[in-house]
Amino acid sequence: MLTRIDHIGIACHDLDATVEFYRATYGFEVFHTEVNEEQGVREAMLKINETSDGGASYLQLLEPTREDSAVGKWLAKNGEGVHHIAFGTADVDAEAAGIRDKGVRVLYDEPRRGSMGSRITFLHPKDCHGVLTELVTSAPVESPEH
C-alpha cells in the first residue's frame, strides 16, 4: 500500500542556488545531502513535514554530476523543473510486483539504494500518464541510545 507522497524530485543546474531559493522563499531547510555516484547526482533533501506513518515528505533537489546521467539527460532536454514524484511504501518489492502485475513497466528488476539509505524503484512515465514515478521504502529510523 502506498502511504504518502515521500518526495517531489526537482532537477536543477545549480544545487546550491536552488537550495538558497527554497530557503529564502519558503523557509525550507536542508535535512540531508549526498552524492549518489550510481545515479550521477548531487542532491539535497528539504524536509517539508512529518507524516502519520512515521515517515516524512521532502523536496529532493537534484543536480547531475555528469551529463550522461538520467537527470543530466532529462535536464538537457527539459530544463529545470519537476522531474518525478515518489510515493512511500512499507514494502517496495511487493508494491512494485503488484504494480507490474497490473501492466505497468517497473524500470529496475530489483530495487536500488536511494537517498538516506532508502530502497527505490521507478515506474515508466509512459505507463503513468507522463509522470516518472518512484516507489520508496525509507531506511529504518534508528532509535536514540539511552
Side-chain angles (χ1 to χ4, degrees), residues 86-98:
F87 294 110
T89 178
D91 188 345
V92 70
D93 298 273
E95 196 67 39

Side-chain angles (χ1 to χ4, degrees), residues 73-88:
K73 291 176 186 176
W74 187 91
L75 197 54
K77 180 180 178 184
N78 299 292
E80 293 185 307
V82 175
H83 179 261
H84 67 275
I85 186 168
F87 294 110

Side-chain angles (χ1 to χ4, degrees), residues 57-109:
S57 293
Y58 302 90
L59 285 180
Q60 178 187 45
L61 307 179
L62 300 159
E63 175 189 74
T65 58
R66 57 182 196 269
E67 291 178 13
D68 68 339
S69 70
V71 171
K73 291 176 186 176
W74 187 91
L75 197 54
K77 180 180 178 184
N78 299 292
E80 293 185 307
V82 175
H83 179 261
H84 67 275
I85 186 168
F87 294 110
T89 178
D91 188 345
V92 70
D93 298 273
E95 196 67 39
I99 289 173
R100 181 182 284 120
D101 289 346
K102 294 175 183 172
V104 174
R105 287 174 282 180
V106 178
L107 299 183
Y108 303 153
D109 290 332

Side-chain angles (χ1 to χ4, degrees), residues 8-22:
I8 306 293
I10 299 172
C12 62
H13 292 291
D14 182 334
L15 185 66
D16 297 327
T18 306
V19 164
E20 184 52 35
F21 169 81
Y22 281 96

Side-chain angles (χ1 to χ4, degrees), residues 2-138:
L2 300 176
T3 57
R4 68 185 179 283
I5 294 176
D6 185 86
H7 66 271
I8 306 293
I10 299 172
C12 62
H13 292 291
D14 182 334
L15 185 66
D16 297 327
T18 306
V19 164
E20 184 52 35
F21 169 81
Y22 281 96
R23 179 178 303 146
T25 305
Y26 305 115
F28 298 151
E29 294 296 331
V30 173
F31 179 79
H32 175 83
T33 61
E34 71 181 81
V35 174
N36 185 320
E37 295 294 344
E38 179 185 3
Q39 293 182 20
V41 294
R42 186 168 77 105
E43 65 178 83
M45 298 293 275
L46 286 64
K47 185 186 265 186
I48 307 305
N49 67 317
E50 304 287 335
T51 61
S52 62
D53 66 358
S57 293
Y58 302 90
L59 285 180
Q60 178 187 45
L61 307 179
L62 300 159
E63 175 189 74
T65 58
R66 57 182 196 269
E67 291 178 13
D68 68 339
S69 70
V71 171
K73 291 176 186 176
W74 187 91
L75 197 54
K77 180 180 178 184
N78 299 292
E80 293 185 307
V82 175
H83 179 261
H84 67 275
I85 186 168
F87 294 110
T89 178
D91 188 345
V92 70
D93 298 273
E95 196 67 39
I99 289 173
R100 181 182 284 120
D101 289 346
K102 294 175 183 172
V104 174
R105 287 174 282 180
V106 178
L107 299 183
Y108 303 153
D109 290 332
E110 295 291 325
R112 297 181 182 178
R113 183 193 174 282
S115 300
M116 300 183 293
S118 63
R119 296 185 71 240
I120 65 166
T121 195
F122 286 90
L123 309 178
H124 200 293
K126 289 185 179 177
D127 297 343
C128 300
H129 297 271
V131 178
L132 179 60
T133 303
E134 183 179 3
L135 304 177
V136 178
T137 296
S138 298

